[in-house]
Amino acid sequence: MTLNATHDPARKSWVDSANVRGGDFPIQNLPFGVFSTSGGARRIGVAIGDMILDLTALEARGALRPGGDRAVFDGGTLNAFMALPQVLWSETRREIADLLDVISGDRDVPLVKATDATLHLPVFVRSFTDFYASRAHATNVGTMFRGADAALMPNWLHMPIGYNGRASTVVVSGTDIHRPNGQAKGPGEDAPRFGPSQKLDIELELGAIVGTPNEMGHPITTAQAYDNIFGYVLLNDWSARDIQVWEYQPLGPFLSKAFGTTISPWVVTREALEPFRVEPPEREKPLLSYLREQTPNCFNIDLTVSLGFGGSAPEMISRTNARELYYSSAQQLAHHAASGCAMETGDLLGSGTISGTAPGSYGSLLELTRNGRDPLHVAGETRRFLEDGDLVEISGRCERSYRIGFGTCAGQILPAVQLDQDV
């Protein structure tokens, strides 16, 4: 895809708040989401400054009809729109930009104040796959548990490593997360115990949402995979490290990752991120041909994690960048489909924890505290892992002469729900 008028850095909107420098949602962004007001039906919208353009109302008026005679903005999720041909994604983005343009725009379009709206999960997530695509993260964790000489498993430099997670517990930002229960066994214990996780962690990730499916039995190239991705969200794949270390062999994480995955409410389109494409890190070993990319498919997205407690303002504990990913989302998707796996509209791919090489750029508490050995000191509190009541906020943005923001991916930890052992 090449840059077009929707990327023009000089373009302004008649929605004044969209022109404030440093705002997340200028006219060059136009992310899609789902909202409601006063307990009403869920509607499809686009963020513009501090307002939401109501696409459901526009479609009902006949002013925006990407699906022709078939409504695609009336179902309460983005799936119907994402299932349209890719050219219609771009045409719709252009039409929306024209409606909001300071010169050509229509000031009679239906707008809702963002502060008056409740945001919902933007897509019906068909399936969720989590990868392990940051070399620094994989190296840090591998060194902790296997030593520096065996930090990366033999397959890691040859393919994106992933596992299938749970779509049913993917939730929108602002949803509280209960501390999970599970089995854990310490190194000095003779038998496992069951109860709430004592090593609850975060995972700073980028999520890719599939728009265009592929047919079962038909692999796709990395170029096709890049185009098939509709957009991106911030993602926190909450993790119970003590449960994980006991259960993950030989088949990988299970209860330790299945209890909650939080995503940001606004889907930033692939097209909006086009000016921010960057080359991946240098390859140590040549990749097999099906994973090679002819274009730079990583993104320069600045990412931060903040932690707060007891109502205090969250304080930043980590800062990194999505360009640290060794495998792009396109490579992850191409590898997923390489066996002939059918990827479907609404599938979510998590990048895995994104970490840099410096201590302040680690995307998990496991790394930041060296598995609890070196506690963090934040806002007068000490943390090795998350405690009940802790609030985690992840933010992401791309900077040019304008900002492409993702909004916030946030969640607060609630106590575990205790089982009644007598039932």
Side-chain angles (χ1 to χ4, degrees):
M1 179 178 288
T2 57
L3 302 188
N4 55 47
T6 66
H7 303 104
D8 182 356
R11 196 167 193 179
K12 301 295 182 183
S13 172
W14 57 263
V15 179
D16 291 337
S17 58
N19 304 320
V20 176
R21 186 170 180 82
D24 275 353
F25 306 123
I27 196 171
Q28 293 84 2
N29 193 348
L30 304 179
F32 289 78
V34 174
F35 73 99
S36 65
T37 56
S38 302
R42 297 186 181 190
R43 309 168 75 80
I44 309 302
V46 159
I48 179 71
D50 60 4
M51 307 294 285
I52 300 173
L53 177 64
D54 188 337
L55 301 187
T56 302
L58 273 179
E59 184 178 57
R61 287 184 186 179
L64 189 68
R65 301 288 302 188
D69 293 336
R70 181 171 65 90
V72 295
F73 292 137
D74 67 345
T77 72
L78 292 173
N79 292 58
F81 176 61
M82 297 191 302
L84 295 178
Q86 294 167 10
V87 65
L88 294 178
W89 303 347
S90 187
E91 288 181 7
T92 303
R93 174 179 161 84
R94 177 185 55 76
E95 290 182 51
I96 293 171
D98 288 345
L99 287 171
L100 297 169
D101 186 87
V102 69
I103 297 173
S104 65
D106 178 1
R107 287 167 170 77
D108 191 37
V109 296
L111 288 177
V112 174
K113 290 183 180 179
T115 52
D116 292 338
T118 299
L119 299 178
H120 303 281
L121 197 66
V123 300
F124 172 67
V125 180
R126 297 297 301 266
S127 62
F128 168 50
T129 303
D130 197 37
F131 283 89
Y132 194 47
S134 166
R135 182 170 183 176
H137 173 67
T139 300
N140 291 339
V141 174
T143 299
M144 250 185 276
F145 294 109
R146 293 187 297 274
D149 293 340
L152 292 180
M153 300 299 283
N155 57 2
W156 200 94
L157 293 170
H158 296 277
M159 64 178 178
I161 305 301
Y163 71 94
N164 288 312
R166 287 291 301 176
S168 61
T169 45
V170 175
V171 296
V172 72
S173 175
T175 305
D176 294 334
I177 301 294
H178 281 279
R179 181 177 299 274
N181 291 301
Q183 283 195 25
K185 179 180 177 298
E189 297 175 331
D190 294 331
R193 50 190 162 72
F194 180 85
S197 169
Q198 300 304 305
K199 289 188 174 183
L200 185 55
D201 201 357
I202 59 174
E203 290 195 351
L204 165 60
E205 304 191 25
L206 184 67
I209 297 175
V210 176
T212 304
N214 65 286
E215 186 180 349
M216 182 176 175
H218 293 262
I220 54 177
T221 66
T222 54
Q224 290 171 320
Y226 180 84
D227 289 342
N228 287 3
I229 294 172
F230 174 78
Y232 296 83
V233 293
L234 304 177
L235 188 151
N236 183 357
D237 196 28
W238 307 86
S239 299
R241 301 300 184 185
D242 45 354
I243 297 172
Q244 182 178 355
V245 75
W246 170 240
E247 75 177 2
Y248 84 102
Q249 294 184 10
L251 296 180
F254 188 49
L255 299 185
S256 57
K257 298 293 191 78
F259 62 95
T261 300
T262 302
I263 66 171
S264 51
W266 294 109
V267 181
V268 176
T269 63
R270 166 174 50 79
E271 189 168 357
L273 293 176
E274 194 68 16
F276 303 95
R277 291 169 79 167
V278 291
E279 297 285 350
E282 184 177 353
R283 304 295 174 192
E284 180 174 323
K285 295 181 181 294
L287 296 176
L288 296 175
S289 59
Y290 80 100
L291 285 174
R292 293 175 194 159
E293 296 177 309
Q294 304 304 313
T295 57
N297 292 341
C298 288
F299 298 106
N300 181 14
I301 306 172
D302 188 48
L303 301 165
T304 61
V305 181
S306 298
L307 182 60
F309 353 82
S312 65
E315 182 176 312
M316 188 174 72
I317 60 172
S318 177
R319 182 171 185 171
T320 187
N321 195 289
R323 70 189 309 161
E324 297 286 349
L325 289 171
Y326 193 83
Y327 295 104
S328 70
S329 296
Q331 288 172 313
Q332 295 164 37
L333 179 54
H335 181 65
H336 206 324
S339 66
C341 175
M343 305 301 295
E344 298 184 300
T345 300
D347 281 353
L348 174 64
L349 307 182
S351 63
T353 305
I354 304 173
S355 294
T357 55
S361 65
Y362 298 158
S364 68
L365 290 172
L366 178 69
E367 297 164 272
L368 288 167
T369 70
R370 300 297 297 173
N371 196 21
R373 186 192 70 184
D374 304 323
L376 285 178
H377 300 283
V378 184
E381 298 269 354
T382 298
R383 287 292 184 276
R384 290 176 168 81
F385 290 95
L386 296 176
E387 297 185 10
D388 293 347
D390 286 359
L391 173 66
V392 177
E393 290 187 356
I394 295 174
S395 300
R397 61 189 59 87
C398 307
E399 298 281 357
R400 208 179 176 200
S401 58
Y402 57 83
R403 172 183 291 179
I404 299 295
F406 285 75
T408 301
C409 176
Q412 188 167 25
I413 301 302
L414 298 182
V417 177
Q418 298 297 320
L419 287 177
D420 185 348
Q421 301 294 341
D422 295 328
V423 173

